[in-house]
């Protein structure tokens, strides 16, 4: 038994690192308040009972079995700094034992919303294509360069999903005086109205919008639910902005809808990452591409560490975590997100 009475935390934050998510000062504070045992996320079971039996916290989202959890009688919380809830542990056991599972994903909401707004502005005003034309000496001046341009101000906008990212996006859109409709089957209509948006069906969001933002998580119920039929419902020339996970769309159907000229699109996520060098989306006209970088800002990563420290301090004092977002018993097992591959 250790004579060090500080709480023990197992650090297995892959694909993150403690240096990525904690500032220098925060990392010093972490080590001063806690005994940190660093471990490979795939080998938690290989840790001795002197570690597992003492551990109060896990920083990361390593795969865990019931047998491993049975060896961890003091575990209070799993602090998921990967931020996607992955079906790699027995959540029912965790909930039965009162062990918190929390995520830090909300740190990405605002930066991802900002790049989404940038995508929409570029699609609306042809900013990327105009820049390329200018570099190549083929620019069109004045009104000649605005044949397909339009404004976001006063437009009709649809949002699919209204979690942290959807709410952040709606806040950014406030100044554009747009009509915002939201489809989210997990969200009560009254909450949507409180945020100043109109509850709507998926068909209404698709067919009545000049721009459609997709910010829904991947679940066991919605994988690939936006396909060819969905894109055909959209207004001709509408913009489709994919910000959450590629698995919610039929990506081949999305590319086909853009290639046909029916819609334009932008995406920060793809079915496989990184993409092969010859993937057809790389050369698809009318499609703005970003390499899963929307939320990957150092400022966002460092907020993760601050949130983790605040919640660990609360739990040390017998209080529930409040800074990170807690996984819900009814929905956590439905999540089907893939873990991120790189920072």
């Amino acid at each position: 038994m250790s004579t060090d009475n500080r709480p023990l935390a197992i650090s297995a934050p892959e694909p993150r690192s403690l240096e990525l998510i904690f500032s220098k000062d925060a990392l010093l504070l972490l080590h001063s308040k806690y005994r940190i045992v660093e471990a490979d996320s795939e080998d938690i079971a290989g840790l001795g009972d002197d570690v597992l039996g003492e551990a109060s916290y896990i920083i990361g989202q390593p795969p865990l079995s019931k047998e491993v959890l049975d060896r961890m009688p003091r575990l209070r919380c799993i602090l998921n700094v990967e931020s996607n809830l992955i079906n790699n542990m027995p959540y029912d056991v965790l909930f039965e034992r009162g062990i918190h599972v929390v995520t830090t994903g909300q740190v990405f909401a605002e930066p991802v919303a900002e790049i989404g707004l940038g995508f929409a502005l570029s699609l609306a005003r042809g900013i990327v294509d105009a820049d390329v034309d200018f570099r190549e000496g083929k620019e069109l001046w004045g009104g000649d360069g605005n044949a397909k341009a339009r404004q976001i101000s006063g437009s009709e906008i649809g949002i699919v999903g209204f979690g942290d990212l959807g709410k952040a996006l709606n806040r950014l859109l406030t100044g554009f005086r747009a009509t915002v409709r939201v489809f989210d089957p997990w969200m009560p209509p009254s909450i949507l109205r409180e945020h100043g948006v109109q509850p709507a069906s998926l068909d209404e969001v698709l067919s009545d919008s000049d721009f459609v933002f997709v910010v829904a998580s991947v679940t066991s119920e919605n994988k690939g639910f936006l396909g060819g039929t969905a894109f055909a419902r959209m207004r001709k020339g509408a913009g489709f902005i994919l910000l959450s996970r590629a698995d919610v769309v039929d990506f081949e159907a999305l590319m086909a809808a853009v290639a046909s000229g029916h819609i334009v699109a932008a995406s920060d996520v793809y079915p496989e990452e990184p993409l092969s060098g010859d993937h057809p989306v790389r050369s698809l006209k009318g499609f703005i591409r970003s390499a899963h970088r929307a939320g990957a800002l150092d400022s966002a990563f460092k907020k993760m560490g601050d949130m983790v420290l605040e919640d660990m301090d609360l739990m040390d004092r017998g209080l529930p975590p409040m800074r990170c977002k807690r996984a819900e018993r009814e929905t956590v097992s439905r999540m089907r997100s893939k873990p991120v591959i790189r920072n």
Side-chain angles (χ1 to χ4, degrees), residues 49-130:
D49 288 339
D50 57 330
V51 173
L52 294 181
E54 291 278 318
S56 297
Y57 305 107
I58 295 176
I59 301 173
Q61 188 174 255
L64 298 170
S65 66
K66 181 181 183 303
E67 290 70 28
V68 170
L69 290 172
D70 287 343
R71 296 168 59 198
M72 305 182 75
R74 297 190 180 186
L75 186 62
R76 298 176 189 168
C77 185
I78 297 170
L79 297 122
N80 175 356
V81 294
E82 198 274 353
S83 297
N84 292 303
L85 287 165
I86 304 167
N87 194 22
N88 66 347
M89 58 186 73
Y91 291 105
D92 55 340
V93 173
L94 293 167
F95 286 121
E96 286 171 8
R97 286 182 49 186
I99 299 169
H100 298 293
V101 179
V102 300
T103 73
T104 56
Q106 58 264 52
V107 301
F108 296 129
E110 190 171 82
V112 174
E114 285 185 359
I115 207 169
L117 178 58
F119 288 156
L121 286 165
S122 187
L123 291 173
R125 302 302 297 271
I127 296 171
V128 172
D129 289 343

Side-chain angles (χ1 to χ4, degrees), residues 77 79 100-104 106 306-326:
C77 185
L79 297 122
H100 298 293
V101 179
V102 300
T103 73
T104 56
Q106 58 264 52
D306 293 341
M307 293 167 65
V308 166
L309 280 171
E310 286 188 307
D311 271 351
M312 289 170 72
D313 178 69
L314 286 171
M315 288 181 282
D316 288 344
R317 294 185 283 126
L319 298 170
M322 298 180 65
R323 197 65 184 84
C324 299
K325 186 173 184 177
R326 283 189 270 182

Side-chain angles (χ1 to χ4, degrees), residues 111-342:
V112 174
E114 285 185 359
I115 207 169
L117 178 58
F119 288 156
L121 286 165
S122 187
L123 291 173
R125 302 302 297 271
I127 296 171
V128 172
D129 289 343
D131 175 70
V132 171
D133 288 344
F134 210 108
R135 292 167 186 260
E136 297 177 351
K138 301 186 297 184
E139 73 275 8
L140 297 174
W141 292 83
D144 292 338
N146 281 331
K148 295 182 179 180
R150 55 193 151 146
Q151 288 185 279
I152 292 181
S153 297
S155 65
E156 295 184 276
I157 292 176
I159 302 177
V160 179
F162 207 67
D164 293 323
L165 176 50
K167 294 181 181 71
L169 178 61
N170 184 54
R171 289 194 295 271
L172 291 180
L173 291 169
T174 301
F176 288 91
R177 309 182 311 279
T179 298
V180 180
R181 300 181 180 89
V182 172
F183 170 71
D184 189 330
W186 289 8
M187 189 70 66
S190 61
I191 293 181
L192 297 178
R193 295 189 187 98
E194 287 171 3
H195 284 272
V197 301
Q198 298 180 16
S201 66
L202 178 61
D203 185 66
E204 289 170 331
V205 164
L206 293 170
S207 62
D208 297 343
S209 300
D210 300 304
F211 303 91
V212 174
F213 293 87
V214 177
V215 296
S217 299
V218 183
T219 72
S220 56
E221 300 161 358
N222 71 1
K223 188 172 182 178
F225 79 109
L226 294 169
T229 300
F231 301 128
R233 290 175 185 164
M234 293 179 63
R235 293 175 174 174
K236 183 172 177 57
F240 182 88
I241 299 100
L242 178 58
L243 297 173
S244 50
R245 285 292 182 266
D247 279 351
V248 299
V249 306
D250 178 336
F251 210 80
E252 295 292 329
L254 172 59
M255 290 191 296
V258 173
S260 72
H262 182 63
I263 61 173
V264 291
S267 183
D268 186 55
V269 292
Y270 305 90
E272 299 295 333
E273 298 179 5
L275 281 176
S276 62
D278 60 352
H279 195 284
V281 78
R282 291 183 180 273
S283 58
L284 182 57
K285 187 174 178 59
F287 202 115
I288 297 176
R289 297 148 287 260
S290 175
H292 204 148
R293 52 183 290 274
L297 299 179
D298 187 64
S299 58
F301 289 129
K302 294 302 186 285
K303 287 179 183 177
M304 285 185 174
D306 293 341
M307 293 167 65
V308 166
L309 280 171
E310 286 188 307
D311 271 351
M312 289 170 72
D313 178 69
L314 286 171
M315 288 181 282
D316 288 344
R317 294 185 283 126
L319 298 170
M322 298 180 65
R323 197 65 184 84
C324 299
K325 186 173 184 177
R326 283 189 270 182
E328 297 293 345
R329 179 189 300 268
E330 293 80 6
T331 57
V332 64
S333 63
R334 302 185 190 184
M335 297 299 180
R336 293 293 183 273
S337 290
K338 298 177 182 177
V340 296
I341 297 172
R342 55 180 65 184

